[in-house]
């Protein structure tokens, strides 16, 4: 994956994270050009889907946090900032 595409997919991910947490909590997704192109329960399952479909270069693969994970992450981040 080239750097520009990775940056674009990272930005899309940041812009849609709340929606993803609501819709795909704990699932693994593959994102390419702002589109979810694979969904699975594990990274291995998503990579297998991508290989079977001949997708290359490899897109951004990301495990979507669960809502409770987001709460923990945000609480830890807020605590770190206040130190």
């Amino acid at each position: 994956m080239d750097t520009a595409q990775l940056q674009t997919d990272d930005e899309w991910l940041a812009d849609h994270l709340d929606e993803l947490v609501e819709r795909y909590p704990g699932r693994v997704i593959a994102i390419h050009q702002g589109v979810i192109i694979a969904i699975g329960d594990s990274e291995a399952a998503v990579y297998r889907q991508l290989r079977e479909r001949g997708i290359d270069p490899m897109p951004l693969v990301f495990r979507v946090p669960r809502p409770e994970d987001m709460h923990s992450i945000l609480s830890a981040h807020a605590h770190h900032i206040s130190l």
Side-chain angles (χ1 to χ4, degrees):
M1 173 180 283
D2 69 58
T3 305
Q5 186 60 54
L6 182 59
Q7 177 71 29
T8 299
D9 290 340
D10 278 344
E11 290 170 6
W12 185 91
L13 179 61
D15 290 343
H16 294 86
L17 186 57
D18 289 339
E19 173 188 339
L20 295 171
V21 168
E22 183 177 312
R23 190 164 183 193
Y24 304 108
R27 306 286 310 270
V28 178
I29 60 172
I31 302 166
H32 182 66
Q33 297 180 346
V35 176
I36 298 171
I37 60 172
I39 303 167
D41 291 324
S42 69
E43 288 82 355
V46 168
Y47 285 122
R48 185 172 41 256
Q49 288 177 48
L50 297 172
R51 277 193 310 274
E52 288 171 357
R53 293 170 48 200
I55 296 176
D56 190 44
M58 201 55 68
L60 175 64
V61 175
F62 176 77
R63 180 173 293 277
V64 178
R66 296 170 302 185
E68 58 270 22
D69 298 334
M70 289 297 294
H71 178 71
S72 297
I73 292 166
L74 295 174
S75 294
H77 181 69
H79 176 74
H80 178 71
I81 289 174
S82 67
L83 293 178

